[in-house]
């Protein structure tokens, strides 16, 4: 176990014992990481804020039941994944017009991340599980093993998803490059 996991485990145990300062420190330590992950997955600032609040609410309600405090980070990302999945499922059930308007807004929301327009579009075209793996690995800078733990899949599956995502991103960017010429 590394030092960061040790620090997280100590904070989690302190939170489980009802220490308010520990909770504030945990939120301060992980808020930006969660925000970047959620925003990277949804691409919409308003939706990301809503999801982030729901994630923190789920965490505060269930942190006392976390049996392995050293696995806090993976647990936290799994909660975020589940809330994002719920949000995406609800989004796919909405009427087409509303979904189109949200898609236009979410494309613009990506501008705050240092990505080119082409890469923004290419990322939004990835399947959600490939986008999730890509965001965790490249933008959250997680290792293959950490992504595997968060996604609850073998490391080989993570490698396959990254390979597929890179191939699709490359193809999409090449097509856009040829269209711009």
């Amino acid at each position: 176990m590394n030092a960061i996991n040790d620090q997280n485990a100590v904070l989690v145990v302190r939170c489980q014992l009802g220490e308010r300062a520990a909770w504030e420190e945990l939120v301060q330590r992980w808020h930006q990481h969660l925000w970047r992950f959620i925003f990277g997955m949804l691409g919409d600032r308003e939706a990301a804020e809503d999801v982030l609040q729901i994630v923190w609410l789920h965490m505060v309600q269930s942190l006392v039941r976390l049996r392995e405090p050293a696995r806090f980070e993976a647990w936290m990302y799994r909660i975020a994944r589940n809330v994002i999945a719920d949000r995406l499922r609800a989004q796919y059930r909405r009427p087409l017009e509303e979904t189109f308007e949200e898609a236009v807004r979410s494309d613009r929301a990506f501008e705050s991340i240092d990505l080119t327009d082409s890469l923004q579009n290419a990322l939004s075209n990835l399947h959600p599980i490939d986008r999730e793996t890509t965001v965790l690995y490249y933008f959250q800078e997680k290792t293959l093993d950490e992504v595997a733990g968060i996604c609850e899949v073998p490391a080989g599956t993570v490698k396959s998803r990254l390979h597929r995502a890179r191939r699709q991103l490359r193809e999409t960017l090449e097509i856009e490059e040829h269209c711009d010429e």
Side-chain angles (χ1 to χ4, degrees):
M1 185 176 341
N2 65 32
I4 293 191
N5 284 343
D6 289 343
Q7 292 171 358
N8 288 332
V10 169
L11 276 176
V12 168
V13 170
R14 287 175 49 207
C15 288
Q16 290 173 330
L17 294 172
E19 227 181 280
R20 184 179 202 80
W23 174 253
E24 291 170 5
E25 189 176 338
L26 199 64
V27 170
Q28 184 178 21
R29 178 177 289 187
W30 288 103
H31 188 80
Q32 278 305 108
H33 295 283
L34 276 174
W35 163 253
R36 284 193 309 266
F37 173 65
I38 294 166
F39 181 71
M41 289 299 297
L42 299 175
D44 178 282
R45 193 169 294 283
E46 188 175 314
E49 286 292 339
D50 291 344
V51 167
L52 184 62
Q53 293 305 314
I54 294 167
V55 169
W56 282 117
L57 181 63
H58 283 295
M59 286 174 48
V60 78
Q61 292 172 339
S62 58
L63 188 64
V64 294
R65 293 187 304 273
L66 179 60
R67 295 183 196 269
E68 296 180 59
R71 301 212 8 95
F72 169 77
E73 185 177 358
W75 174 81
M76 171 190 71
Y77 278 110
R78 276 195 302 279
I79 290 173
R81 289 177 71 225
N82 291 338
V83 176
I84 290 166
D86 291 345
R87 180 68 173 230
L88 291 173
R89 274 191 291 276
Q91 204 172 356
Y92 292 138
R93 283 181 270 209
R94 290 191 188 135
L96 185 59
E97 308 82 47
E98 186 177 345
T99 304
F100 176 74
E101 289 172 14
E102 287 180 4
V104 170
R105 272 202 321 267
S106 66
D107 281 345
R108 288 194 195 112
F110 256 107
E111 290 171 7
S112 66
I113 298 177
D114 293 326
L115 301 173
T116 65
D117 289 339
S118 297
L119 186 53
Q120 293 170 28
N121 292 332
L123 275 172
S124 67
N125 288 329
L126 290 177
H127 187 279
I129 63 170
D130 294 338
R131 184 172 50 231
E132 172 185 54
T133 305
T134 303
V135 168
L136 284 169
Y137 187 76
Y138 290 108
F139 299 108
Q140 294 296 109
E141 299 177 351
K142 300 294 175 200
T143 66
L144 285 173
D145 289 335
E146 289 172 329
V147 175
I150 291 166
C151 296
E152 298 179 305
V153 297
T157 301
V158 172
K159 288 179 185 178
S160 296
R161 289 178 182 177
L162 287 171
H163 176 75
R164 183 174 51 235
R166 283 190 299 262
R167 186 182 69 239
Q168 185 177 347
L169 288 170
R170 189 171 28 257
E171 289 171 2
T172 303
L173 293 171
E174 286 173 0
I175 290 169
E176 286 184 14
E177 186 177 298
H178 291 343
C179 290
D180 291 340
E181 293 176 356

